[in-house]
Structures are given as structure tokens and as C-alpha cells.
Amino acid sequence: MKIAVIGAQGHYCNIIEAIKHNNRISVDAVAPGTVDENIVPVAMDFAKVGVNVRLFDDYLTMLDEIQPDIVAVNSYFYINSQITTDLLRRKINVFCEKPLATDLNKLSNLYHEYLKSGVHLTAMHLMRDMPWFAAAHKAVRQGRIGDISVINIQKSYILGQRDAFFTSRFTYGGTIPWVGSHAVDLAYWFTGERFKSVTALHTKKHNNSHGDLENAALCQFVTEKGVLVSVSLDYMRPQTAPSHGDDRIRIAGTKGVVEVIDENAYIINDEAEGVQKLDNIDGGNMFESFMNEVKGFGRCPLTAEDAFYITRICLYARESADTGKTITF
Amino acid sequence: MKIAVIGAQGHYCNIIEAIKHNNRISVDAVAPGTVDENIVPVAMDFAKVGVNVRLFDDYLTMLDEIQPDIVAVNSYFYINSQITTDLLRRKINVFCEKPLATDLNKLSNLYHEYLKSGVHLTAMHLMRDMPWFAAAHKAVRQGRIGDISVINIQKSYILGQRDAFFTSRFTYGGTIPWVGSHAVDLAYWFTGERFKSVTALHTKKHNNSHGDLENAALCQFVTEKGVLVSVSLDYMRPQTAPSHGDDRIRIAGTKGVVEVIDENAYIINDEAEGVQKLDNIDGGNMFESFMNEVKGFGRCPLTAEDAFYITRICLYARESADTGKTITF
């Protein structure tokens, strides 16, 4: 199976994790998504795990020469949907950075290309792989907190000094699609439900000269069965913080509460007095699952339909924040 | 200074704390807010701190006989505004349970009575007294996290089996006014800003046969200078939880993050690497501050105008949740 990577901006690290876990996985080539994208760091990261990749200046040339079975797409966010379109038209399976597109029009066009292509596609919603989120998810799905009433999700990142493409809505897409898509995925994954409505807010007031980048955002969703979901996103985590991201989820149900904080999962329910730590569990590796799906073994837990759905919800949430209106699906 | 208490449903415990702290404070009498309210537990609680109170069957008789300088009002939530009106008309200073009223019409009438009365009034927003919230507030007000971008507030309670008056919107008022008024107070206190808009949600889907009681609610506020505030309220905390309430606040600013969790306050900013615990500080006692204000010494940190404002915002937030519409002030 031939694998290639396009772009250097996203989560190709998931493939590196897959290689560490299974040394029969390899990557053949990497190419930039645009002429100005520096792909050398990607090649160096693969070299560190013993994989020497061919470097191409142009991804179309790479596709013609390498004829990959799977391509991971993670270039500048605005261009990923165009790259994915090129891949789908060549019947190449796509492991794509989220969001799949940075506006609803691009997403709709991409979805039609996907339907025509007949290939496999998924998006890099990699929080599902994390052992603490996997542990929390398992506990919730086992019914250990009963029926869910409310979910609170937090993503807080260090801003630092971001590349220029983060500072334009056109190239970046917005904090709700970029950071918030993880939260939407988590809510969708934990509840197993679609959404009925969203009301969102975002601000760029204290974004430290990052142009259009929204340094904070809030969303409120209601799922189809009435679960209330709050999402808080920000780039306000200071440089002195002990980690890049402060990812949290808290799920309150009729029989208890599960939460993830500081890379640990906890539960309070009728099984014991007080807060109990959940054992972390192997969350798997999304790229490896996707590769197996392409090979015909099993299904990647996140389907293409899921990936399109999550991006669409994020783009509507961004629209809600832009317009100040609640959007009902 | 003569002090009396009406009702048994709220936070008269703040007066007990004041007595523990200053044994010159005493309470003269207690009376129910309605004929069916059992006031005996209140008298017993005062007896435990060495204060023997007179019990009355009827608060108007008590007022005539005792002629109190201050009355603490904490009967059934729907009746507190009527009791407060009776007190204001007698020119008696009022230490009132929040919310001050359970609908906007009652609140408006009460506000006019207050303006005519010329007496002192405040509401029991007692989270300000808690040493961890006081510590967090001090750090934020000292500028240690810079300008605030986003605030997340959580109040999670054990539901248990609540008295019947919690199960009717008319007698209870709703979870957003009752529980959420603490959150609105915290946001107002930490930012020092008024609010521009609110969008709220609430649900009674999993309220364990508690009638109208909303077991979960979410609110999103924007302050006048653009701080985003999320509030999550629920009664989903299981009986096995280590405490009744899981109160949290997280304030993210341009220079760092302060948060309160598990009755401790923490900061991350440029002063040190990693998360630092803040020393708890004496948050004072709101009843004692109010008593001093009535005596002519200093000002209670929460003015009557603040108390009316916070209740008004909560009632609009409830309206937003009832109607599904964003309300702009």
C-alpha cells in the first residue's frame, strides 16, 4: 500500500504514531499543497521514525509518479478541499485534515466529488485516539452515567506567534472550524446524536495582532434528543502553561458524571463513593483504522459522512457567531 | 441592632457564619414566610451557635413586636418579593435571598418600592465570601491575567428529592434565576461590566419527576466590553459526589488564566512556570458587611442596584431559554 502526504500544517503526526505502532506502515512521498509551503520538516519527522520519503515540489507530479493508495492532506486549511477534490477525481483514498472545507460552498462541492468518487475518506478527528477520551467514551457508552443531559467541552491553546495564514479568515477558516471541529466531533461521538441547533459567539479582541483569528469562541448546541452541549474555545493559554492544550470534557448524565481533565478521565456515579479515576485505554490510531478500512478490514470509526457532517455543523456554528443568530438544522 | 429572619429556604446560614465570626451579632426572632413553612429548623440552627430566637407564626406580627432594623428574607422563592415589599414599606433594611423576584413584573414593582423606601437592601450572592473565589477575584483585579477575554462558570448540584415548591415554575422561579444568579453575579463581579446580550437553554428532560424544575441549563453572555461568558448549570451531580456543589470558574485573560475548582484557586501567568495555587483569602461575610453598611460603616460590596440588576439579567436569561431567542439589553 502506497501512502503519500500533502502539506505540512496539520496532523500528519497521526501517521508517525501509526508507524511507531506498526513498523510495516511506511510513507512513500511528501509534497507541498502550494508552491510556498515548506515540506522539509515533514520529511525530517518521518526520517526520525526511520522512514525516508521522496520529496516532490508539486503534488500532482507526485500523484502521477507514486500512484498512492492513500494520501493524507494537511496543507493550508483553505486549500485542503481543492487538494482533496484532485485526489477524489483520481480515485485516491483521502485521510484529510479537518475541517474538510472552509466554507459551505466548497464543502458542498467536495461532498458531490466524494459521492462520485467511490473511494474512502475520513477526517483527522484525532481526539478519539487519546486514551483519556477513549476511557471516558467507553464509560459513557457502557451506560455508567445513564442518559446524558449536558456536556461541557473546552479547548484552550497557546497562541504564540502563528504563521500568517492563521490571520486571514480566507486562509484559516476560523477558530470554530479549526479548533471547534474537535469539540463538535466529541459531542457527536459521545452522544451518538446529530444536532438540532447552534448559537455561537467569537471574538478577536485580544488576539495579539493575529488579524482575523478569533482568540475566543463559545457555542451552545442542542442535540436531536435534547442534550445541551456547551463549547468553549480559546487561544488564551499562556506560554508558561504545562502543555499546549487544555482539553476538557464533562458529561453529566442521570446516573453520574464523567470528565476528562489534565489527560485523565474520572467518574462519579453510584458504583462508589467520591471521584474515581478511570483507567486510560488504548484509543487506537485513526490512520491505521482508515488504512485497514481501505484494505477491506473493518471500518474506520469516523465515516466520510460523519466527517462531512461535522464540518458542516462547524461552518454553521461559525455563521451563527458571524451573524449573531441561532441556526436550526 | 435588632435582626430577624423570615423563612427557612435560603441562605440564613450566612448570618450564622457572621455570628460565629463576631459574637456580638445576634438574631432576635424568626417567622415563616407562609403559614405552611416550618421555621423550627432555623431556630434550632441559631440555638447551635448560642442564639435563642423568638418564634412567631406570622411575620407581620413579628415585625410589629420586634421592630427589627434588618430582616433576612429567605422563604419560598416566589414569595420573597412580597415579603420584601412589606419590609420596605415599613422602612426595614433587607438582606434578601436571590433572586429578588421570580418574574420581571414583580421585580419592577419591588424596585419602585425600594426607591421609595430609602432603606438598605442587598441580596445573598454569597459566593463572593468564599475564600477561593475571593482569591481568584483578587488576582484578576490585580491585573495578574491582564484583560479578560472569556469566562466559563459551572454550578453543578445534587438534586436529591426536593421539596414540592421546587417543582413548579411559579413557586421555584427556575434554575437560571435560582442557581444561575450566582453565576451572573460572579461574571459581573469579576469583569466589573454589565451585559450586552444573553442566549440561554434549559431542559427538564431528566429531572427525576421534579415537575417544572430544569435539571440543566446553559447561558452565553457578552459583556458591554465584549467578554464572552459561558454558564453551565445542572442538578446532575450524583449522591456519591464528595460535595453538594461542584462550583467552578475559569477566567482567561491576555496574560494568563485563573480558575477555581474543588475549593481552590489557581493561576497560570508569566510570573512562574506551570500552574500555581493561589492562597485562599478571607472573603469576608456579606451579612456582616451589610450590617455595617446599615450602621453607617462602609458599604456592602454588593449594592441594591447590583442585586436588582443581577436578578433582571437572570430573568431575561430565563426568558431567552423559554423562547429560544437571544435577548439584547
Side-chain angles (χ1 to χ4, degrees):
Chain A
M1 183 157 274
K2 283 187 183 160
I3 297 165
V5 174
I6 299 173
Q9 311 310 319
H11 293 90
Y12 62 88
C13 55
N14 192 242
I15 306 175
I16 292 174
E17 292 304 315
I19 293 167
K20 285 184 191 168
H21 179 248
N22 179 350
N23 63 11
R24 289 180 304 169
I25 299 173
S26 192
V27 171
D28 298 89
V30 300
T34 65
V35 288
D36 63 335
E37 191 173 26
N38 178 13
I39 203 77
V40 175
V42 181
M44 289 171 64
D45 283 343
F46 282 111
K48 283 180 202 157
V49 288
V51 174
N52 293 311
V53 295
R54 282 184 64 186
L55 271 76
F56 287 82
D57 290 337
D58 168 71
Y59 70 80
L60 294 176
T61 309
M62 174 179 80
L63 300 179
D64 289 342
E65 284 204 28
I66 301 285
Q67 300 279 325
D69 300 291
I70 298 176
V71 172
V73 176
N74 64 162
S75 184
Y76 301 112
F77 312 155
Y78 75 100
I79 202 84
N80 287 337
S81 55
Q82 180 55 53
I83 297 167
T84 302
T85 299
D86 289 336
L87 295 166
L88 294 174
R89 287 180 180 169
R90 282 169 173 76
K91 313 292 182 200
I92 297 168
N93 303 290
V94 187
F95 184 60
C96 188
E97 184 55 87
K98 44 80 208 162
L100 293 179
T102 50
D103 69 45
L104 285 164
N105 196 38
K106 285 178 177 176
L107 186 71
S108 169
N109 292 338
L110 186 66
Y111 185 60
H112 287 105
E113 293 291 344
Y114 163 71
L115 290 179
K116 279 192 291 180
S117 72
V119 304
H120 299 267
L121 178 150
T122 196
M124 300 183 189
H125 289 294
L126 305 177
M127 293 182 75
R128 297 189 183 202
D129 287 7
M130 296 177 182
W132 35 96
F133 285 103
H137 185 260
K138 185 180 168 193
V140 170
R141 285 312 186 91
Q142 285 176 329
R144 292 174 67 187
I145 60 163
D147 294 321
I148 302 172
S149 267
V150 64
I151 299 181
N152 311 122
I153 302 170
Q154 173 185 301
K155 297 278 297 174
S156 175
Y157 286 169
I158 294 174
L159 179 60
Q161 199 56 51
R162 298 260 159 176
D163 289 343
F165 85 92
F166 276 90
T167 67
S168 138
R169 166 64 71 91
F170 178 73
T171 53
Y172 172 52
T175 296
I176 293 176
W178 172 239
V179 185
S181 58
H182 286 297
V184 170
D185 175 51
L186 288 177
Y188 180 57
W189 186 46
F190 273 85
T191 60
E193 294 178 35
R194 294 200 158 210
F195 301 95
K196 243 176 16 189
S197 67
V198 62
T199 314
L201 298 166
H202 54 195
T203 179
K204 50 188 178 178
K205 190 180 172 192
H206 294 304
N207 73 1
N208 199 21
S209 305
H210 276 73
D212 296 341
L213 180 142
E214 301 92 356
N215 56 297
L218 299 176
C219 310
Q220 283 178 173
F221 295 93
V222 183
T223 70
E224 57 190 356
K225 290 183 189 161
V227 177
L228 310 186
V229 180
S230 76
V231 171
S232 182
L233 313 169
D234 70 74
Y235 281 102
M236 307 301 292
R237 193 153 165 79
Q239 297 280 0
T240 51
S243 60
H244 170 65
D246 183 1
D247 294 342
R248 305 184 190 180
I249 191 167
R250 178 177 166 275
I251 307 116
T254 49
K255 288 163 57 180
V257 175
V258 158
E259 74 177 303
V260 171
I261 186 168
D262 293 333
E263 304 196 346
N264 283 304
Y266 301 93
I267 193 167
I268 323 175
N269 64 5
D270 56 12
E271 296 163 17
E273 279 298 314
V275 180
Q276 308 297 318
K277 192 175 169 315
L278 293 168
D279 290 333
N280 283 339
I281 61 175
D282 183 359
N285 174 280
M286 189 167 279
F287 181 73
E288 200 171 356
S289 300
F290 182 66
M291 223 178 67
N292 287 334
E293 176 181 307
V294 171
K295 282 182 188 162
F297 304 122
R299 291 264 294 187
C300 179
L302 189 99
T303 68
E305 291 292 340
D306 292 338
F308 279 101
Y309 179 69
I310 292 163
T311 296
R312 195 161 83 243
I313 293 298
C314 290
L315 294 174
Y316 277 119
R318 183 186 70 184
E319 186 176 314
S320 171
D322 284 342
T323 60
K325 294 197 188 330
T326 296
I327 293 179
T328 305
F329 308 118
Chain B
M1 183 158 272
K2 284 186 179 158
I3 296 164
V5 174
I6 299 173
Q9 311 309 320
H11 293 90
Y12 62 87
C13 55
N14 192 242
I15 307 176
I16 291 173
E17 291 304 315
I19 293 167
K20 284 184 191 168
H21 179 247
N22 179 350
N23 63 11
R24 289 180 304 170
I25 299 172
S26 191
V27 171
D28 299 89
V30 299
T34 65
V35 288
D36 63 336
E37 191 172 28
N38 178 13
I39 203 77
V40 174
V42 181
M44 288 171 65
D45 283 343
F46 282 111
K48 282 179 201 155
V49 289
V51 173
N52 293 310
V53 296
R54 281 183 64 185
L55 270 77
F56 286 83
D57 289 337
D58 168 72
Y59 70 79
L60 294 175
T61 309
M62 175 180 79
L63 299 179
D64 289 342
E65 283 203 30
I66 300 286
Q67 299 279 325
D69 300 292
I70 298 176
V71 172
V73 176
N74 65 163
S75 184
Y76 301 111
F77 312 155
Y78 75 101
I79 202 85
N80 286 337
S81 56
Q82 180 55 53
I83 298 168
T84 302
T85 298
D86 289 337
L87 294 166
L88 294 174
R89 287 180 178 170
R90 283 168 172 78
K91 313 293 182 198
I92 297 168
N93 302 291
V94 187
F95 184 61
C96 188
E97 185 55 85
K98 44 80 206 162
L100 293 179
T102 50
D103 70 46
L104 286 163
N105 195 39
K106 283 178 177 177
L107 186 70
S108 169
N109 292 338
L110 185 66
Y111 185 60
H112 286 105
E113 293 291 343
Y114 163 72
L115 290 178
K116 280 193 289 180
S117 72
V119 303
H120 300 266
L121 178 150
T122 196
M124 300 181 189
H125 290 294
L126 305 177
M127 292 182 74
R128 297 189 185 203
D129 287 5
M130 297 176 181
W132 36 95
F133 285 103
H137 185 261
K138 185 179 168 193
V140 170
R141 285 312 186 91
Q142 283 175 330
R144 292 173 68 187
I145 60 161
D147 294 320
I148 301 172
S149 267
V150 63
I151 299 181
N152 310 122
I153 303 170
Q154 174 185 300
K155 298 278 296 175
S156 175
Y157 287 169
I158 294 174
L159 179 60
Q161 200 55 52
R162 299 261 159 175
D163 289 342
F165 84 93
F166 276 90
T167 67
S168 138
R169 167 64 72 89
F170 179 73
T171 53
Y172 171 52
T175 296
I176 293 176
W178 171 239
V179 185
S181 58
H182 286 296
V184 170
D185 175 52
L186 288 177
Y188 181 56
W189 185 46
F190 272 86
T191 61
E193 294 178 35
R194 293 199 160 211
F195 301 95
K196 245 179 9 193
S197 67
V198 63
T199 314
L201 298 166
H202 54 197
T203 180
K204 50 189 177 178
K205 190 179 172 193
H206 293 304
N207 73 2
N208 198 21
S209 305
H210 276 72
D212 296 340
L213 180 141
E214 301 92 355
N215 56 296
L218 300 175
C219 311
Q220 282 177 174
F221 296 94
V222 183
T223 69
E224 56 190 357
K225 290 182 188 161
V227 177
L228 310 186
V229 180
S230 75
V231 171
S232 183
L233 314 169
D234 70 72
Y235 281 102
M236 307 301 292
R237 194 155 164 78
Q239 297 281 358
T240 51
S243 60
H244 169 65
D246 184 1
D247 294 342
R248 304 184 191 181
I249 191 167
R250 178 177 165 275
I251 307 117
T254 49
K255 288 163 57 180
V257 175
V258 158
E259 74 176 302
V260 171
I261 186 167
D262 293 335
E263 304 196 345
N264 283 305
Y266 301 92
I267 192 167
I268 322 174
N269 63 3
D270 56 12
E271 296 163 19
E273 279 298 315
V275 180
Q276 308 297 317
K277 192 176 169 314
L278 293 168
D279 290 332
N280 282 339
I281 61 175
D282 183 358
N285 175 279
M286 190 168 278
F287 181 73
E288 200 171 356
S289 299
F290 182 66
M291 223 177 67
N292 287 334
E293 175 181 308
V294 171
K295 282 181 187 164
F297 305 122
R299 292 261 296 188
C300 179
L302 189 99
T303 68
E305 292 291 341
D306 293 337
F308 279 101
Y309 180 69
I310 292 163
T311 296
R312 197 162 80 242
I313 295 297
C314 291
L315 294 173
Y316 277 119
R318 183 186 71 184
E319 187 176 314
S320 171
D322 283 341
T323 61
K325 293 196 190 331
T326 296
I327 294 179
T328 304
F329 307 119

